[in-house]
Amino acid sequence: MDRGVETSKGGCSDSGYLGGCERLSHRALAIESGHMSVEHLDSKPKPSTRENCPAHFWVGYEKKRDTYVVTNFEPHHNHQLVTPLESPYLRCNRVVRNSDLAQAVEMRRALVRTCHTYEYMVDQYGGYLNVGFQIKDLYNKLDASRGEILLDADTEAAFSYLKGKGAMDPEFFCKFSVDEENWLGNLFSRDPTSLLEYIACGDVLIFDSTYKANMYDKPLVLFVSSNNNRSTVMFGCALLHDETFETYKWLLETFMASVKDKKPISILTDGYEAMHKSIDDVFPMSNHQLCSWHVSRNAQNNLKDDELLRNFQV
């Protein structure tokens, strides 16, 4: 999402008001009742993938001497070290510079293949070791740059559509979150028809997600149920940043705000742990059960006795 996202003059929020042409600057903004709302997400550090190499050195601060000293040093490794000639090929040392990317983009526009562009850069820098990256890194960087342009355009198009829906109907509800770099995180929307369906048929709620089965690599979550005609009805949908407890809790609280805080009597889900915890936190009085399809699939995967499996299904 572009850093210059603007909101049309309309609703107010507990965190502040954004008028006609003000840029996103608040840490949390909530504009509802036909308008869009935005929140910021805090990025989490990625888990370490290092093997348990004992090599290290510790540095401590001596207050009396006002200096730092090495307090512990272990020089031995539990793996082979790369040679100086191999070090440029380490992932941490391979970087596609912006100037190299710009040159590759322009040469691609001139119908020059990426492999030929890389060989040209090798000649420019005087050898493969001096380029600073491999041809695979260049391909990945070019693909990522095209994806950023595509997703950014799709995001703006989606926001324009949702803003138009909110301007036409005050009962339309949409809320999204952005990360610390102002990229789209979570997106939830609910139309007025879904609100009426939930008020009439929302005693049982089916809460399910598909795992990153779309081009945006985001989990898609649907809130659905069945009406009196046994037809499937949808109460809302969301694209999520990840599938953590915090994200699911944000989604359920947002869903409750969109349906006037009407809590379901029973909730059917799969067995995902983060989803289970968030439901217990937001809906402590609702009955939470696993859907029969997931129970049947788990039984088929774990019960090796055919007769026992048939009895279980009956």
Side-chain angles (χ1 to χ4, degrees):
M1 187 180 68
D2 187 79
R3 292 181 179 272
V5 172
E6 301 173 355
T7 58
S8 59
K9 188 172 182 179
C12 296
S13 71
D14 296 334
S15 306
Y17 169 75
L18 285 184
C21 296
E22 297 184 43
R23 297 182 183 273
L24 285 174
S25 58
H26 294 73
R27 287 298 295 173
L29 171 68
I31 303 177
E32 301 173 0
S33 300
H35 299 274
M36 303 183 70
S37 45
V38 59
E39 293 179 349
H40 283 265
L41 298 175
D42 294 325
S43 61
K44 296 181 178 179
K46 295 182 179 180
S48 175
T49 57
R50 298 179 183 275
E51 53 187 70
N52 297 321
C53 179
H56 67 272
F57 72 95
W58 294 347
V59 178
Y61 175 71
E62 289 190 1
K63 188 174 182 180
K64 293 182 179 179
R65 298 170 54 187
D66 190 24
T67 186
Y68 291 91
V69 297
V70 176
T71 59
N72 197 315
F73 176 62
E74 174 56 61
H76 301 291
H77 297 262
N78 62 357
H79 54 85
Q80 294 291 330
L81 301 181
V82 298
T83 65
L85 290 178
E86 296 172 328
S87 61
Y89 297 106
L90 293 175
R91 184 185 297 271
C92 59
N93 294 333
R94 302 197 320 256
V95 178
V96 180
R97 294 170 288 273
N98 292 334
S99 59
D100 298 325
L101 177 62
Q103 183 179 24
V105 170
E106 292 302 321
M107 295 184 72
R108 172 172 284 189
R109 289 176 180 173
L111 302 182
V112 178
R113 298 177 61 182
T114 303
C115 58
H116 297 158
T117 299
Y118 182 75
E119 294 298 329
Y120 175 73
M121 292 180 177
V122 171
D123 292 336
Q124 276 186 315
Y125 287 104
Y128 289 97
L129 295 180
N130 300 326
V131 176
F133 54 88
Q134 297 178 350
I135 188 172
K136 181 180 179 181
D137 302 321
L138 183 59
Y139 274 109
N140 292 340
K141 194 69 174 179
L142 286 169
D143 291 340
S145 64
R146 289 203 308 270
E148 288 175 1
I149 295 173
L150 173 63
L151 294 180
D152 185 62
D154 287 352
T155 302
E156 292 300 326
F159 286 163
S160 298
Y161 171 78
L162 294 173
K163 286 180 181 179
K165 295 283 288 185
M168 291 187 297
D169 195 326
E171 287 298 332
F172 178 82
F173 185 97
C174 177
K175 189 173 184 179
F176 65 93
S177 60
V178 296
D179 60 21
E180 58 187 8
E181 297 181 353
N182 270 7
W183 288 99
L184 178 64
N186 305 319
L187 173 64
F188 171 84
S189 65
R190 185 269 301 150
D191 61 26
T193 303
S194 296
L195 176 60
L196 297 177
E197 294 279 9
Y198 182 78
I199 293 175
C201 311
D203 290 342
V204 177
L205 177 65
I206 300 175
F207 175 38
D208 195 14
S209 66
T210 60
Y211 185 72
K212 300 181 179 181
N214 50 75
M215 64 177 295
Y216 306 100
D217 201 32
K218 286 179 173 290
L220 172 66
V221 177
L222 301 177
F223 295 90
V224 299
S225 189
S226 178
N227 60 18
N228 295 333
N229 297 322
R230 296 187 177 181
S231 299
T232 300
V233 291
M234 186 168 67
F235 304 138
C237 60
L239 288 172
L240 300 182
H241 176 69
D242 53 33
E243 293 187 290
T244 61
F245 165 75
E246 292 78 10
T247 298
Y248 277 124
K249 183 178 179 181
W250 175 92
L251 176 60
L252 292 178
E253 291 175 344
T254 301
F255 176 75
M256 279 292 93
S258 74
V259 295
K260 317 298 184 183
D261 288 326
K262 179 183 182 297
K263 293 181 172 57
I265 296 176
S266 298
I267 303 176
L268 301 179
T269 68
D270 58 19
Y272 193 62
E273 185 65 22
M275 188 185 296
H276 179 83
K277 290 182 179 179
S278 63
I279 291 174
D280 290 343
D281 188 81
V282 180
F283 305 122
M285 303 304 294
S286 299
N287 299 319
H288 179 204
Q289 300 177 1
L290 297 178
C291 79
S292 59
W293 184 86
H294 285 92
V295 173
S296 177
R297 187 181 66 173
N298 291 337
Q300 293 177 7
N301 293 336
N302 294 282
L303 295 179
K304 305 305 181 181
D305 191 322
D306 294 339
E307 183 178 356
L308 182 61
L309 181 60
R310 286 193 297 269
N311 294 333
F312 176 81
Q313 293 177 341
V314 172

